[in-house]
């Protein structure tokens, strides 16, 4: 049962990371695509540090494992919705200092599902230190399944449809007013 939970969490978090790369590349310019890797590493690093410092025993790790898995699933659903409420226009970051704390908040929120996912795996390994093979292998198999699902899902859904209200093969500039709201039509490139 533990290996199944670890596998499912690994699949979900890797699929989420791949989808974040695609969304950032399309909506926030290509150089933001690497941010998905950074938030995943931040989340994993924080959970690893917490487990190393807390040193939970086998029993505590076993109890925390179920909670971490459930919270990962909830975070994978809630975080994208919450991030959508934070308005950050990357084109204005050099000129508007008030956007930097918002970007940091987005970064921390996006790291949460990855941190909880890594915590699930770490607690599974800590709960049964003599049997690390099954959860370790399940994390790899889950990652492969998540990558395959994200790639298949990305081909089935055209994520670029409607970006900038452009036709296929056309790039359209979109204007934002001072409040960060999408403004008039802009021009074509």
């Amino acid at each position: 049962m533990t290996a199944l939970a670890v596998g499912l969490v690994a699949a979900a978090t890797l699929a989420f990371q791949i989808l974040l790369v695609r969304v950032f590349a399309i909506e926030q310019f290509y150089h933001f695509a690497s941010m998905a890797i950074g938030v995943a590493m931040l989340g994993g690093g924080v959970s690893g540090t917490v487990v190393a410092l807390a040193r939970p025993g086998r029993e505590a790790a076993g109890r925390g494992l179920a909670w971490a898995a459930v919270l990962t699933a909830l975070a994978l659903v809630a975080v994208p919705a919450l991030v959508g409420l934070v308005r950050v226009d990357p084109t204005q970051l050099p000129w508007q200092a008030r956007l930097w704390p918002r970007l940091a908040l987005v970064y921390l929120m996006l790291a949460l599902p990855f941190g909880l996912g890594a915590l699930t795996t770490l607690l599974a390994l800590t709960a049964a230190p003599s049997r690390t093979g099954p959860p370790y292998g399940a994390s790899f198999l889950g990652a492969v399944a998540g990558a395959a699902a994200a790639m298949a899902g990305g081909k089935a859904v055209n994520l670029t449809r409607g970006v900038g209200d452009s036709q296929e093969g056309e790039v359209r500039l979109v204007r934002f007013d001072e409040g960060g709201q999408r403004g008039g039509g802009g021009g074509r490139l």
Side-chain angles (χ1 to χ4, degrees):
M1 190 64 150
T2 298
L4 178 63
V6 169
L8 290 173
V9 165
T13 53
L14 192 68
F16 182 61
Q17 183 178 3
I18 291 171
L19 293 174
L20 275 181
V21 168
R22 294 192 72 187
V23 168
F24 286 157
I26 293 166
E27 290 186 1
Q28 303 294 335
F29 309 112
Y30 68 92
H31 48 273
F32 272 84
S34 61
M35 185 173 157
I37 296 164
V39 296
M41 291 175 64
L42 175 65
V46 167
S47 65
T49 302
V50 167
V51 169
L53 293 175
R55 297 185 183 266
R58 291 180 186 182
E59 193 174 302
R63 284 191 312 267
L65 171 64
W67 281 104
V70 168
L71 291 173
T72 301
L74 292 174
L76 285 167
V77 173
V79 164
L82 294 172
V83 166
L85 299 175
V86 181
R87 309 247 342 142
V88 178
D89 181 3
T91 62
Q92 298 302 309
L93 284 170
W95 297 279
Q96 295 183 12
R98 66 180 172 82
L99 294 178
W100 285 99
R102 292 182 191 178
L103 182 62
L105 176 63
V106 166
Y107 210 88
L108 291 174
M109 285 194 302
L110 288 173
L112 182 63
F114 298 110
L116 291 169
L119 184 63
T120 301
T121 302
L122 289 169
L123 291 176
L125 295 171
T126 304
S130 61
R131 294 191 25 87
T132 57
Y136 190 69
S139 71
F140 281 109
L141 290 175
V144 169
M151 298 307 283
K155 291 189 185 308
V157 177
N158 184 357
L159 294 174
T160 62
R161 191 96 173 125
V163 172
D165 298 330
S166 62
Q167 300 296 321
E168 191 169 332
E170 171 186 72
V171 177
R172 196 163 172 79
L173 299 176
V174 179
R175 293 189 186 136
F176 290 89
D177 64 19
E178 291 179 11
Q181 298 295 319
R182 188 172 166 175
R188 291 184 179 166
L189 286 179

